[in-house]
Amino acid sequence: MSGTLGGVLCGGVGVFLLGCALSEGVQMRRLRRHGLHTHGVVVDNVRVRSEDGPQWRMAAMIRPVRVLFLPVVLLFPLLLAGCGTEKAGAGTGVDSSASVAVPSRAELDARARALQIAPELVYVTKAPGFTLAQQSVGVYGDDGFSGVYWAQATNAQIQLSVERGTMTARSCPKQPVGGMAGERTVCERDGDAWYRVGGGRHEYALVEKGHVLKVSGDSTKVTRAVLRSALHSAHRPSDAELAAVLPPARTATAPVERGDLPSTGDGAPDNEVGTSG
């Protein structure tokens, strides 16, 4: 059940119970005003009209009085609290606010190295309407990082990549945009970053200490403003964000033993033909 639907249902139940409680309170107040018991076991009270005005007539059948007002009032805040325990961020792909134990930094670094990624080159970002596709996370170049953010509404993609190196006014035109070799690259300085266009794609490249951070996308699907926003939002992840981005490291498994390998010799499989041919 989605968080929105669950919240609506919980809110509806809470309003219904509150309405029942208020109705019960009004009825008990009317009973007290006419001098009738509102606790224990009382006879049924029926309102009738007479010459002297409205009166209450006691019927012969006995039933337990309704005393739901206090329990409902006490349970109402608990109901609302229970409905609010669901974490936000459903459908975001990566939820760094989930109430799970965050691994140690050493374990998170081991996850990165298992993907051949240098831990110090892992970055995350955010852009309106875009969610990180976790299956896209992987190594870029020798030990760099790459991840793709996807917009479900437009099917547009933003690639975030980080690799060692630098970029200058001289080298910028020689480095293809998005790895599209053979395409002409046009570079333009925009603040501290380079805005680059080529091969139907455009990107922002920011030179950091010893590495270059890039955000790129299809020039027909991702606007320059969105790329600029993604660049400014890029940052080194917290432990919780890193745990949500990097998949758990695979556990080592013992090799499968083959029954057709001889215990002596060079270990070649035994392919001798049996007596049956």
Side-chain angles (χ1 to χ4, degrees), residues 102-272:
V102 178
S104 65
R105 174 59 68 164
E107 180 179 340
L108 294 173
D109 290 349
R111 289 188 187 184
R113 293 190 182 96
L115 297 175
Q116 299 181 355
I117 300 173
E120 65 274 15
L121 298 183
V122 179
Y123 278 73
V124 294
T125 188
K126 60 182 179 180
F130 286 81
T131 303
L132 175 66
Q134 190 178 31
Q135 66 272 18
S136 69
V137 172
V139 65
Y140 187 82
D142 293 333
D143 60 351
F145 170 82
S146 175
V148 175
Y149 290 77
W150 173 67
Q152 184 176 7
T154 61
N155 203 32
Q157 297 180 0
I158 296 176
Q159 182 182 16
L160 168 67
S161 61
V162 185
E163 63 177 337
R164 301 188 189 277
T166 187
M167 185 176 291
T168 64
R170 185 185 182 116
S171 64
C172 180
K174 300 178 182 179
Q175 300 182 29
V177 177
M180 303 291 291
E183 298 289 343
R184 179 173 177 267
T185 300
V186 177
C187 298
E188 172 190 336
R189 196 67 178 176
D190 188 345
D192 295 334
W194 289 100
Y195 175 67
R196 299 155 29 88
V197 181
R201 296 179 64 83
H202 59 161
E203 75 177 15
Y204 271 96
L206 180 65
V207 179
E208 296 286 5
K209 294 181 179 180
H211 59 272
V212 181
L213 186 152
K214 302 175 183 177
V215 288
S216 63
D218 190 319
S219 57
T220 63
K221 294 183 178 181
V222 183
T223 66
R224 178 173 177 173
V226 170
L227 285 183
R228 186 189 299 111
S229 175
L231 179 72
H232 291 164
S233 299
H235 61 278
R236 293 278 292 123
S238 65
D239 288 357
E241 289 174 322
L242 195 57
V245 169
L246 298 176
R250 296 181 180 180
T251 57
T253 57
V256 178
E257 295 185 3
R258 293 181 54 178
D260 60 343
L261 295 178
S263 57
T264 59
D266 59 3
D270 184 2
N271 295 324
E272 290 187 4

Side-chain angles (χ1 to χ4, degrees), residues 1-47:
M1 179 184 297
S2 66
T4 302
L5 180 57
V8 171
L9 291 178
C10 289
V13 173
V15 172
F16 172 75
L17 290 178
L18 182 59
C20 293
L22 294 176
S23 175
E24 197 69 28
V26 170
Q27 183 170 352
M28 288 193 293
R29 183 177 180 183
R30 293 170 61 189
L31 292 175
R32 293 193 188 100
R33 191 168 61 244
H34 289 81
L36 299 177
H37 293 289
T38 59
H39 64 276
V41 179
V42 299
V43 296
D44 193 19
N45 302 285
V46 182
R47 188 182 186 190

